[in-house]
Amino acid sequence: MKEQSQSNEVLAVKDEESERPIPNAWRQQLREIVNAFAVGDYGLSAGVKGVPPLSADRASQIRDYVEGYGATLVALPEETWNSSVCIWYGDHWAALVDLWTEQEGRSDLVLHTRVRELDSGFSVEVDLVYVP
């Protein structure tokens, strides 16, 4: 089983033993989630393909945590993939994506998601934003 192709594409590998880089196939969805949060759409009401909208309670939790952190979220730079990771948990991957702010660059905040494989690609479920 190859983890990367010759073009340095990071693939989704079902490895329960070690953390792996975030696969290329998920990165656009993750970028769109963070972009929505950065403009205050914590419920993802504008829609992100393959990502269910968040409940009002979940959106409120994330908004409160981000606003309580006291820095302004920004779009994910390419560098975020150098430190963000995922691991396989039997029926999904847990992914931790490092978030960036205007004030700090890479912050202590992470986006935690669950990613499931579908026949048509991947679905991403937002779990929480927090400081681990």
Side-chain angles (χ1 to χ4, degrees), residues 3 6 14 18 35 42 47 51 54 105 110-111 115:
E3 180 181 345
Q6 291 179 338
K14 296 175 181 173
S18 57
N35 288 347
Y42 294 102
V51 182
L54 302 183
V110 296
L111 167 64
V115 181

Side-chain angles (χ1 to χ4, degrees), residues 47-112:
V48 175
K49 185 178 180 188
V51 182
L54 302 183
S55 69
D57 286 345
R58 179 67 46 93
S60 179
Q61 284 179 317
I62 293 171
R63 179 181 44 256
D64 291 349
Y65 212 99
V66 169
E67 290 176 359
Y69 185 77
T72 306
L73 285 182
V74 296
L76 295 176
E78 199 58 32
E79 294 93 326
T80 201
W81 311 124
N82 297 334
S83 57
S84 300
V85 296
C86 67
I87 191 165
W88 178 250
Y89 277 108
D91 68 343
H92 71 278
W93 287 271
L96 290 176
V97 178
D98 290 324
L99 299 180
W100 293 62
T101 67
E102 281 182 14
Q103 294 82 357
E104 305 171 290
R106 190 173 104 190
S107 73
D108 292 331
L109 288 169
V110 296
L111 167 64
H112 179 257

